[in-house]
Amino acid sequence: QVQFVESGGGLVQAGGSLRLSCAASGITVGIRAMGWYRQAPGKQRELIATISSGRTTVYADSVKGRFTISRDNAKNTVYLQMNSLKPEDTAVYFCNKALSGYEPWGQGTRVTVSS
């Protein structure tokens, strides 16, 4: 079955950086569009970054210029480099398919940005 294991979150001061990882099993991330999502307290889950099979990337306006999505096909892992973090980036971050429905969600990784 498909499984995503997110890691790399933590507590960071505003302006800091974190690199999130999403290790996938049961699915090949390199042949499909993958995305990073986040869910802030009291809000719905939102898609913030996608990477296509051809490595084309798209970002939500809220993270554009600060976050970078990438993947390592050999490790079957998707990454999210987050720079210039803001308190409003505080959320639980998840990865999943970006098109054609969702696979079971992982537990996510929590990011807390202090001001």
Side-chain angles (χ1 to χ4, degrees):
Q1 65 276 23
V2 177
Q3 186 176 19
F4 300 114
V5 179
E6 299 91 350
S7 62
L11 174 63
V12 63
Q13 288 189 332
S17 298
L18 285 172
R19 188 194 193 206
L20 307 184
S21 299
C22 170
S25 58
I27 186 173
T28 302
V29 300
I31 62 171
R32 57 179 37 86
M34 294 294 298
W36 277 97
Y37 302 76
R38 69 183 181 188
Q39 187 166 17
K43 295 187 177 181
Q44 289 189 332
R45 191 171 297 174
E46 61 173 338
L47 176 63
I48 58 169
T50 63
I51 183 167
S52 72
S53 58
R55 299 186 186 272
T56 297
T57 58
V58 179
Y59 299 93
D61 288 343
S62 57
V63 306
K64 195 175 297 181
R66 299 187 299 122
F67 291 9
T68 302
I69 187 172
S70 62
R71 69 168 188 260
D72 184 328
N73 291 347
K75 295 182 178 179
N76 209 34
T77 298
V78 183
Y79 302 97
L80 186 68
Q81 177 67 43
M82 305 189 298
N83 299 327
S84 303
L85 283 162
K86 304 176 180 180
E88 50 263 45
D89 294 319
T90 294
V92 180
Y93 286 71
F94 306 84
C95 69
N96 211 310
K97 291 162 52 179
L99 297 172
S100 305
Y102 303 122
E103 300 293 343
W105 294 91
Q107 64 182 14
T109 185
R110 184 175 299 274
V111 173
T112 303
V113 184
S114 63
S115 57

